[in-house]
Amino acid sequence: MTDSVSVPRRSALRLLGGAIAVAAAATSGSAAPAHALSRPGHGAGPRVEGLLARLTLDEKISLLHGATDPASLGQAGYVPGVERLGIPPLRLADGPAGVRVTRHATALPAPVMLASAFDPELARRYGRVIGHEGRALGQDVLLSPMVNLIRTPYAGRNFETFSEDPLLSADLVAAEIEGIQAEGLVATVKHFAMNNQEKDRMSVDVRVDEQTLHEVELRGFEAAVGSGTGAVMGAYNKVNGIYACENRTLLTDVLRERWGFDGWVMTDWFAAHSTREALAAGLDMEMPDGTYFGTALKKAVENRSVPEHHVDRSVRRVLTIMDRFGLLDGTAPARPERDAKAGAAVAREVAEAGATLLRNEHSTLPLAAGAIAVIGPTGALPFVSGGGSAHVVPDHADSPLDAIRARAAQVTYALGEDLYGKAIPASAFSPALAGEGRQVDAGATWTYDGTLTVTDTDEWTFVLHFTGAPASRPKVLLDGEDLFPVLPGYGEYFAGGLVSAAPDGLLVRRRTLPLTKGAHTLKITAQGGDTGQTFRLRRITAATRAADVAEAVAAAKAARQVVLFAYEDATEGQDRTTIALPGHQERLIEAVTAANPRTTVVLNTSSATSMPWLERTGAVLQMYYPGQEGAAATAAVLFGDTDPGGRLTQSFPTDDDHHPVAGDPRRYPGVDGVEEYAEGVHVGYRWYAAEGVRPLFPFGHGLSYTTFAYEDLSAEPQGHGLSVTFTVRNTGRRAGIAVPQVYVGPSPHLRLDQPVRVLGGYRRLALRAGERRRVTVRVAPRTLSSWDPKRHDWVLGTGRRDVWVGASAGDLRLRTRAGVAR
C-alpha cells in the first residue's frame, strides 16, 4: 500500500543532472519466487543461444507468429514449438478476470472491482488464482493484465482495467503480475499504449505530448516491466502518427532502452500492419496468424530487406522468457489441478472488498428485518462479467435474488425492466404465427411471409432468440428492412456479457425502432443447417414496459425496503454512448423510489454512471461485474455481514456534459481519425480539481457502515521522497474498513505543467470499533517528479509542497506542508 519501494536497477531516474536511484512505478515491494521473475537485464543464457544457432529460418519464423492449434482448448492463441529441438508450443489465453477457455474456470470480479479495494496484496492473490488456473487449464501465457488508464467514462473496457490514477494502476498491475508469474504462467501487460477507448480503436491516431505520455499512461507499463512481466501486447491504435505495433519510440526507445525490458512484444489480434517496419521497431510476434511475420517475413529475409539478425533478436526474446519459466529444460513445475474452492474464496473476498457504498441515507443499509422487494432483471439473473475477452465459463453463478431469499423470510420479486421480451400475440400476425420456440429441422428451410399489425403508433424493441452461429441466425425483414444483419468483422462477438444470451442459453439480438399504427410486411427465413435451429421472436413495447413498472411499484409499496438492481452491459469492441443507464431504467428507479424511499439501488455497471434519481434513493451500492460469487458478496454487504470495503478508482461525473473529455470531440472520440490528449497531465480527478468542476462522486469515495476520524498529521522528507504520518480512528460502533489517501500538491520549483494535487499513497485499514492506528505512508520520489520534455527525463519537484490526507479526492480532512530535498 505504497509503504515501501522497489528499485529495478535499469529503472533508476536521473534527477537534476545526477543519477539518483528511486522507486519504479510499482511500490508494493515484495518479490515473487525466483523461477517466476523475469526482471529486465538478465539476457539470454547459453541454452537459448545454443537453440538459436540450431534453428532453421523456417523454424525461427514459426516462433514469431500464431497458428492453428491442433488440440485447441478454446484459448485465444497458439504458437507451435519446434519438436526436434524440444521447444514446446505456447498456448495463450485471455484472462483479465479469469482464464478464458471453453472449460470451467473461476470467474473473478472485474479488475475495476479488484482495484476498488485499494489493496495490492489482494491483487497479488487475484493474480495467483489466475496463474494457477491458467497452468491447470493447459495455458502458458496469459493475455492480461490490462493497465490502460480510465480516461473517458465511455470506454467499453473500463471494467477490464484499474483506475484513472497512474500510481494506483501501477501498484496493482505490478502486484497482479507478480501473482500470475509466481504460479509459472507468463503475464502479458496490455495494450501498449494509449488504448483508452474502443471506438475506432483499430485506426485512431492518439496525439499526446511527451510529458503526458510518461506521467500518465506509461507509469503502469513501467511498473509491469519492473515486476518482471514476460510479455507486452502492442495496441491497435496509432501514437503520434505511427501504429503502436511498429512504433520505435514505444517499443525500443522507451520499453527496452529506458526500462530494460527483455521479454517479447506481441501484437493485439490482427494489429500488425507491416513486416520490415514492425520488426525493426521492436515488434517480435504477430498474432493470431502470420500475415506479416510468416511467408512475408521469410521473403524479406531472403531478399535481404530484413536482416536475419532482426529475426534472431525476436526469437531470442521469446526463448529467453520460455527458458526463464522452465519451458525449455523441463524444470517448469508440473501442471497443477484446479482448486475451484480456493478460487471461489478469493472471488468472494474480492467482490466484498471492492463493494463500494456510494450513498446511505437514514441507515437504509444494512437491511433491516421485514419484507424485501427485489426488483430488476439482474436481481434474478447473475451478472458475472462484461463481454469480449473478459468472458469466463464459471463453475457456477447464483442470482442475488436467491442469495437474499436465503437470508430473509419475506422476499418478493418484480422484473421492472424487460431484457428478453414477451411473446407477440399470434393474432397480430396474418396469417397467424406462433413465434415462440419455432423449430427448424437440420437441412430444412422455414419461411414466413405475411403482415404484423400494430394497434398503436409506438416504439418497439424486437428481440430475436436463436441457436447456432450468428451468421446462420434467422433473417427477419420488416417492411423490407433486415432487422438483425450480421455485423462486420468481430462486431458479432462483442455483444455484451449479459444481454447477448437468454437465461436458457439462446443467443439474443435486439432492434429498437418506431412503428406506426397499421400493417407492416414481415418475412422470416430460418435455415436448419447441420444441427437444426430453434428461434423465437419477441417484443417490448410501451404497454409491456408500463405493466412491468406497475408490477414493480406494487411490490415496492407492499415491502418495508426495496433492493433494485440496475445494469449496464459493457464489452470489448464498442464504447458506450452515454453514462446514463440503458433502456428505461431511470424511469423505473424514479417510479419505485417514489413508491418506497427505502430503496437501495445496486449497480452492476462497468464504469461511471449518471444518477439523476440519486436524491430519491436511500442507498446506492456499486458492485460492478462481481464474478461468480457476486450474489453471495452482494447479500453479505446488504445485510451487514461485511463492511463495504471499496472506494472509487475513477471520478463519477454528474452527467455527459461535465467530465474531462466532454464537449470536445478532438479529445473524444477524435476528429478525422485524430484524437488529442489535450487535457495533458490533468486526467481524472486532476481535471476536476484544475477546472473547479464538482463530480457526482469523487475519486476515492466510498462509505462505510461506521465512521472514521483523521488526526495528528505530520510530513517530513525521507531521502528524495516524503514520509507522511497520521492517525485514523474508528469513531463508530462497529468494525469497518477505512482507506485513507495521501495527496501532494505541485512543486514551486518546476516550470512544468503540474496537477493541483496527485495521489501520493494510501492504506487499507480494518479497524475495530473505537480502535485507532498510527499510519505512515511513504510518497516515492517518482510521484514527486515531473517529466521534462527538454531533458527527456524525470526531474524531482523540490521545495515545500502541500500534503493532504482524506477519505477521497473530494474529502480532504488534514493538511500540512513539507519540503522535498534535492
Side-chain angles (χ1 to χ4, degrees):
M1 278 65 71
T2 71
D3 270 2
S4 57
V5 296
S6 57
V7 190
R9 286 180 295 173
R10 296 182 64 176
S11 294
L13 305 180
R14 295 182 299 277
L15 301 176
L16 303 174
I20 303 174
V22 300
T27 56
S28 54
S30 61
H35 82 270
L37 289 176
S38 56
R39 299 275 182 186
H42 287 215
R47 183 181 299 105
V48 169
E49 296 298 343
L51 287 171
L52 191 58
R54 297 168 63 192
L55 286 165
T56 67
L57 178 60
D58 285 336
E59 289 169 338
K60 292 175 187 176
I61 290 174
S62 74
L63 295 171
L64 301 185
H65 66 81
T68 300
D69 188 348
S72 177
L73 298 168
Q75 79 278 359
Y78 173 80
V79 177
V82 181
E83 186 175 1
R84 75 177 184 89
L85 295 178
I87 300 174
L90 292 174
R91 288 183 169 87
L92 304 86
D94 288 318
V99 183
R100 186 185 184 221
V101 294
T102 53
R103 300 180 186 178
H104 289 282
T106 300
L108 293 159
V112 72
M113 192 167 203
L114 166 69
S116 299
F118 278 67
D119 188 348
E121 181 53 39
L122 185 60
R124 187 173 288 106
R125 289 192 284 118
Y126 183 100
R128 294 200 76 141
V129 169
I130 300 176
H132 181 92
E133 293 205 344
R135 296 209 68 248
L137 292 167
Q139 304 305 299
D140 306 292
V141 181
L142 184 76
L143 304 172
S144 187
M146 175 179 174
V147 76
N148 300 101
L149 286 192
I150 296 175
R151 174 179 177 260
T152 166
Y154 305 120
R157 299 180 85 170
N158 280 349
F159 69 95
E160 278 192 60
T161 191
F162 300 114
S163 176
E164 68 187 22
D165 181 73
L167 170 65
L168 180 61
S169 297
D171 286 351
L172 296 172
V173 76
E176 185 180 342
I177 286 171
E178 288 173 0
I180 292 165
Q181 298 195 155
E183 299 292 332
L185 191 70
V186 180
T188 307
V189 67
K190 62 184 187 183
H191 310 85
F192 192 59
M194 314 309 290
N195 184 183
N196 305 115
Q197 67 187 58
E198 294 300 281
K199 184 171 177 56
D200 301 326
R201 66 174 179 167
M202 306 293 290
S203 59
V204 67
D205 181 7
V206 176
R207 302 293 174 88
V208 58
D209 66 85
E210 188 177 320
Q211 182 184 0
T212 300
L213 178 70
H214 283 270
E215 289 190 27
V216 176
E217 176 82 348
L218 294 191
R219 185 163 186 178
F221 288 99
E222 183 180 4
V225 171
S227 68
T229 189
V232 170
M233 181 186 289
Y236 287 119
N237 51 277
K238 297 175 184 175
V239 178
N240 293 328
I242 303 172
Y243 280 108
C245 285
E246 53 187 43
N247 192 307
R248 180 179 175 83
T249 298
L250 289 175
L251 302 186
T252 296
D253 299 349
V254 173
L255 183 62
R256 298 196 182 278
E257 295 182 359
R258 173 165 285 277
W259 297 344
F261 176 66
D262 65 351
W264 87 84
V265 178
M266 70 182 80
T267 67
D268 203 338
W269 268 224
F270 302 104
H273 293 274
S274 64
T275 300
R276 179 175 59 85
E277 295 85 352
L279 194 68
L283 182 69
D284 303 306
M285 181 182 290
E286 178 187 8
M287 294 301 295
D289 58 19
T291 302
Y292 295 97
F293 276 27
T295 302
L297 177 55
K298 182 178 180 180
K299 289 181 179 178
V301 173
E302 290 174 340
N303 67 26
R304 298 187 179 181
S305 62
V306 168
E308 189 167 354
H309 70 82
H310 281 185
V311 174
D312 291 347
R313 180 180 64 186
S314 290
V315 172
R316 181 179 292 110
R317 291 165 178 168
V318 175
L319 293 180
T320 292
I321 298 304
M322 293 181 71
D323 191 35
R324 198 165 295 161
F325 281 76
L327 298 176
L328 298 182
D329 63 355
T331 60
R335 293 195 182 273
E337 295 294 324
R338 277 196 66 220
D339 189 341
K341 184 177 180 181
V346 172
R348 176 162 177 174
E349 182 182 0
V350 172
E352 291 179 357
T356 307
L357 185 61
L358 300 178
R359 173 180 169 87
N360 192 21
E361 296 297 310
H362 311 299
S363 300
T364 299
L365 291 180
L367 294 174
I372 301 172
V374 176
I375 296 171
T378 48
L381 293 171
F383 198 164
V384 176
S385 66
S389 61
H391 176 71
V392 177
V393 181
D395 289 306
H396 67 89
D398 298 328
S399 73
L401 177 61
D402 288 339
I404 291 170
R405 280 179 169 160
R407 299 291 305 272
Q410 297 175 271
V411 180
T412 58
Y413 174 72
L415 177 63
E417 174 88 354
D418 192 356
L419 289 180
Y420 302 109
K422 295 175 174 60
I424 303 174
S427 60
F429 299 100
S430 179
L433 170 65
E436 286 291 293
R438 174 68 59 178
Q439 303 286 336
V440 183
D441 294 335
T445 299
W446 179 90
T447 61
Y448 174 84
D449 192 345
T451 60
L452 169 68
T453 299
V454 177
T455 57
D456 295 291
T457 297
D458 195 2
E459 178 187 270
W460 276 50
T461 297
F462 288 93
V463 188
L464 179 68
H465 302 222
F466 62 99
T467 56
S472 64
R473 65 167 166 257
K475 190 168 188 176
V476 181
L477 298 178
L478 184 73
D479 295 331
E481 180 182 0
D482 189 351
L483 294 184
F484 308 103
V486 176
L487 299 176
Y490 279 79
E492 282 292 337
Y493 300 94
F494 300 135
L498 172 76
V499 300
S500 61
D504 62 359
L506 268 65
L507 299 178
V508 174
R509 294 296 183 269
R510 295 167 184 79
R511 175 67 181 278
T512 299
L513 69 167
L515 288 187
T516 57
K517 179 180 179 179
H520 299 263
T521 62
L522 179 68
K523 294 183 179 182
I524 305 174
T525 304
Q527 306 287 344
D530 295 334
T531 59
Q533 172 81 266
T534 299
F535 76 93
R536 50 185 176 247
L537 183 64
R538 294 181 171 180
R539 67 27 172 145
I540 303 168
T541 67
T544 67
R545 284 195 298 271
D548 289 335
V549 172
E551 179 191 23
V553 168
K557 287 180 177 179
R560 179 179 181 184
Q561 52 213 333
V562 177
V563 182
L564 191 158
F565 287 83
Y567 77 93
E568 174 261 318
D569 194 20
T571 178
E572 175 186 359
Q574 63 183 29
D575 283 348
R576 305 157 73 188
T577 57
T578 176
I579 61 172
L581 291 171
H584 295 77
Q585 293 181 95
E586 289 188 353
R587 299 179 194 174
L588 173 65
I589 295 172
E590 289 168 356
V592 169
T593 52
N596 190 332
R598 290 188 64 81
T599 294
T600 296
V601 176
V602 178
L603 293 169
N604 291 128
T605 55
S606 68
S607 187
T609 303
S610 60
M611 305 179 199
W613 38 262
L614 179 66
E615 295 303 317
R616 297 186 179 187
T617 64
V620 178
L621 178 64
Q622 176 64 254
M623 289 299 295
Y624 297 105
Y625 302 152
Q628 69 179 47
E629 305 301 319
T634 300
V637 174
L638 289 174
F639 285 98
D641 302 346
T642 184
D643 202 46
R647 304 296 185 265
L648 291 181
T649 69
Q650 58 194 295
S651 309
F652 273 35
T654 55
D655 53 41
D656 287 304
D657 297 323
H658 298 87
H659 56 76
V661 299
D664 187 349
R666 296 173 303 166
R667 293 190 184 187
Y668 176 86
V671 175
D672 296 329
V674 175
E675 181 181 46
E676 300 176 9
Y677 280 40
E679 72 274 20
V681 298
H682 306 285
V683 66
Y685 65 88
R686 303 175 179 189
W687 179 87
Y688 288 93
E691 298 296 324
V693 175
R694 185 181 181 89
L696 180 65
F697 294 112
F699 172 89
H701 172 73
L703 304 176
S704 166
Y705 290 148
T706 186
T707 54
F708 300 96
Y710 297 78
E711 303 163 337
D712 303 329
L713 172 64
S714 66
E716 58 186 26
Q718 185 179 57
H720 297 282
L722 291 174
S723 179
V724 181
T725 303
F726 52 93
T727 298
V728 181
R729 180 165 53 94
N730 184 339
T731 56
R733 298 181 177 179
R734 57 174 289 163
I737 301 296
V739 184
Q741 300 149 44
V742 174
Y743 294 86
V744 182
S747 163
H749 294 162
L750 292 182
R751 297 295 177 261
L752 296 167
D753 194 18
Q754 298 178 75
V756 174
R757 66 184 63 90
V758 298
L759 181 69
Y762 52 89
R763 286 289 298 276
R764 180 181 178 87
L765 304 173
L767 298 177
R768 299 183 304 275
E771 182 182 2
R772 68 173 66 217
R773 191 173 304 172
R774 192 73 174 157
V775 176
T776 296
V777 173
R778 293 179 175 85
V779 182
R782 170 61 60 85
T783 301
L784 300 170
S785 301
S786 294
W787 182 269
D788 187 341
K790 293 182 178 179
R791 301 185 184 209
H792 306 294
D793 212 339
W794 294 94
V795 291
L796 184 65
T798 56
R800 294 187 63 78
R801 303 180 68 158
D802 289 318
V803 177
W804 296 267
V805 172
S808 75
D811 184 9
L812 303 173
R813 303 184 185 181
L814 302 175
R815 182 176 181 175
T816 189
R817 291 176 65 81
V820 176
R822 291 180 182 271

